[in-house]
PDB file of all heavy atoms in Angstrom:
ATOM      1  N   TRP A  14     -36.704  12.524  15.867  1.00 82.00           N
ATOM      2  CA  TRP A  14     -36.827  11.313  15.065  1.00 82.00           C
ATOM      3  C   TRP A  14     -36.176  11.483  13.686  1.00 82.00           C
ATOM      4  O   TRP A  14     -35.560  10.544  13.153  1.00 82.00           O
ATOM      5  CB  TRP A  14     -38.296  10.937  14.896  1.00 82.00           C
ATOM      6  CG  TRP A  14     -38.878  10.306  16.119  1.00 82.00           C
ATOM      7  CD1 TRP A  14     -39.682  10.893  17.059  1.00 82.00           C
ATOM      8  CD2 TRP A  14     -38.670   8.960  16.552  1.00 82.00           C
ATOM      9  NE1 TRP A  14     -39.996  10.020  18.057  1.00 82.00           N
ATOM     10  CE2 TRP A  14     -39.392   8.806  17.779  1.00 82.00           C
ATOM     11  CE3 TRP A  14     -37.974   7.879  16.049  1.00 82.00           C
ATOM     12  CZ2 TRP A  14     -39.420   7.604  18.475  1.00 82.00           C
ATOM     13  CZ3 TRP A  14     -38.004   6.685  16.741  1.00 82.00           C
ATOM     14  CH2 TRP A  14     -38.710   6.543  17.938  1.00 82.00           C
ATOM     15  N   LEU A  15     -36.317  12.677  13.116  1.00 85.00           N
ATOM     16  CA  LEU A  15     -35.703  12.932  11.815  1.00 85.00           C
ATOM     17  C   LEU A  15     -34.178  12.863  11.908  1.00 85.00           C
ATOM     18  O   LEU A  15     -33.505  12.278  11.047  1.00 85.00           O
ATOM     19  CB  LEU A  15     -36.143  14.294  11.285  1.00 85.00           C
ATOM     20  CG  LEU A  15     -35.587  14.701   9.905  1.00 85.00           C
ATOM     21  CD1 LEU A  15     -36.048  13.721   8.836  1.00 85.00           C
ATOM     22  CD2 LEU A  15     -36.019  16.122   9.563  1.00 85.00           C
ATOM     23  N   THR A  16     -33.628  13.455  12.977  1.00 87.00           N
ATOM     24  CA  THR A  16     -32.180  13.403  13.176  1.00 87.00           C
ATOM     25  C   THR A  16     -31.706  11.976  13.396  1.00 87.00           C
ATOM     26  O   THR A  16     -30.707  11.533  12.810  1.00 87.00           O
ATOM     27  CB  THR A  16     -31.779  14.276  14.377  1.00 87.00           C
ATOM     28  OG1 THR A  16     -32.242  15.609  14.167  1.00 87.00           O
ATOM     29  CG2 THR A  16     -30.269  14.277  14.553  1.00 87.00           C
ATOM     30  N   ALA A  17     -32.435  11.240  14.248  1.00 86.00           N
ATOM     31  CA  ALA A  17     -32.062   9.847  14.504  1.00 86.00           C
ATOM     32  C   ALA A  17     -32.134   9.016  13.227  1.00 86.00           C
ATOM     33  O   ALA A  17     -31.265   8.170  12.952  1.00 86.00           O
ATOM     34  CB  ALA A  17     -32.964   9.250  15.580  1.00 86.00           C
ATOM     35  N   GLY A  18     -33.184   9.256  12.425  1.00 88.00           N
ATOM     36  CA  GLY A  18     -33.290   8.513  11.160  1.00 88.00           C
ATOM     37  C   GLY A  18     -32.175   8.839  10.190  1.00 88.00           C
ATOM     38  O   GLY A  18     -31.642   7.953   9.513  1.00 88.00           O
ATOM     39  N   SER A  19     -31.805  10.119  10.126  1.00 90.00           N
ATOM     40  CA  SER A  19     -30.723  10.518   9.235  1.00 90.00           C
ATOM     41  C   SER A  19     -29.396   9.890   9.650  1.00 90.00           C
ATOM     42  O   SER A  19     -28.630   9.392   8.818  1.00 90.00           O
ATOM     43  CB  SER A  19     -30.596  12.047   9.212  1.00 90.00           C
ATOM     44  OG  SER A  19     -31.793  12.650   8.794  1.00 90.00           O
ATOM     45  N   VAL A  20     -29.140   9.889  10.976  1.00 90.00           N
ATOM     46  CA  VAL A  20     -27.909   9.268  11.469  1.00 90.00           C
ATOM     47  C   VAL A  20     -27.913   7.773  11.175  1.00 90.00           C
ATOM     48  O   VAL A  20     -26.900   7.196  10.754  1.00 90.00           O
ATOM     49  CB  VAL A  20     -27.744   9.530  12.979  1.00 90.00           C
ATOM     50  CG1 VAL A  20     -26.584   8.731  13.545  1.00 90.00           C
ATOM     51  CG2 VAL A  20     -27.539  11.010  13.238  1.00 90.00           C
ATOM     52  N   SER A  21     -29.049   7.115  11.357  1.00 92.00           N
ATOM     53  CA  SER A  21     -29.146   5.677  11.092  1.00 92.00           C
ATOM     54  C   SER A  21     -28.906   5.370   9.626  1.00 92.00           C
ATOM     55  O   SER A  21     -28.172   4.425   9.286  1.00 92.00           O
ATOM     56  CB  SER A  21     -30.523   5.152  11.527  1.00 92.00           C
ATOM     57  OG  SER A  21     -30.752   5.393  12.902  1.00 92.00           O
ATOM     58  N   VAL A  22     -29.515   6.168   8.745  1.00 91.00           N
ATOM     59  CA  VAL A  22     -29.309   5.953   7.310  1.00 91.00           C
ATOM     60  C   VAL A  22     -27.847   6.166   6.928  1.00 91.00           C
ATOM     61  O   VAL A  22     -27.272   5.409   6.140  1.00 91.00           O
ATOM     62  CB  VAL A  22     -30.232   6.881   6.495  1.00 91.00           C
ATOM     63  CG1 VAL A  22     -29.870   6.844   5.011  1.00 91.00           C
ATOM     64  CG2 VAL A  22     -31.683   6.486   6.690  1.00 91.00           C
ATOM     65  N   SER A  23     -27.221   7.186   7.522  1.00 91.00           N
ATOM     66  CA  SER A  23     -25.806   7.459   7.226  1.00 91.00           C
ATOM     67  C   SER A  23     -24.922   6.306   7.685  1.00 91.00           C
ATOM     68  O   SER A  23     -24.030   5.853   6.951  1.00 91.00           O
ATOM     69  CB  SER A  23     -25.374   8.761   7.900  1.00 91.00           C
ATOM     70  OG  SER A  23     -26.141   9.849   7.445  1.00 91.00           O
ATOM     71  N   LEU A  24     -25.179   5.811   8.909  1.00 90.00           N
ATOM     72  CA  LEU A  24     -24.375   4.699   9.423  1.00 90.00           C
ATOM     73  C   LEU A  24     -24.570   3.446   8.581  1.00 90.00           C
ATOM     74  O   LEU A  24     -23.605   2.737   8.269  1.00 90.00           O
ATOM     75  CB  LEU A  24     -24.751   4.424  10.883  1.00 90.00           C
ATOM     76  CG  LEU A  24     -24.326   5.490  11.898  1.00 90.00           C
ATOM     77  CD1 LEU A  24     -24.829   5.121  13.296  1.00 90.00           C
ATOM     78  CD2 LEU A  24     -22.813   5.641  11.915  1.00 90.00           C
ATOM     79  N   LEU A  25     -25.812   3.153   8.204  1.00 92.00           N
ATOM     80  CA  LEU A  25     -26.068   1.979   7.373  1.00 92.00           C
ATOM     81  C   LEU A  25     -25.417   2.120   6.002  1.00 92.00           C
ATOM     82  O   LEU A  25     -24.919   1.137   5.436  1.00 92.00           O
ATOM     83  CB  LEU A  25     -27.570   1.761   7.233  1.00 92.00           C
ATOM     84  CG  LEU A  25     -28.315   1.291   8.501  1.00 92.00           C
ATOM     85  CD1 LEU A  25     -29.808   1.229   8.250  1.00 92.00           C
ATOM     86  CD2 LEU A  25     -27.788  -0.065   8.949  1.00 92.00           C
ATOM     87  N   SER A  26     -25.414   3.340   5.456  1.00 92.00           N
ATOM     88  CA  SER A  26     -24.781   3.562   4.157  1.00 92.00           C
ATOM     89  C   SER A  26     -23.276   3.341   4.232  1.00 92.00           C
ATOM     90  O   SER A  26     -22.686   2.682   3.359  1.00 92.00           O
ATOM     91  CB  SER A  26     -25.079   4.985   3.667  1.00 92.00           C
ATOM     92  OG  SER A  26     -26.464   5.199   3.539  1.00 92.00           O
TER      93      SER A  26
END
Side-chain angles (χ1 to χ4, degrees):
W14 283 102
L15 181 62
T16 303
S19 301
V20 172
S21 301
V22 170
S23 300
L24 290 177
L25 290 175
S26 300

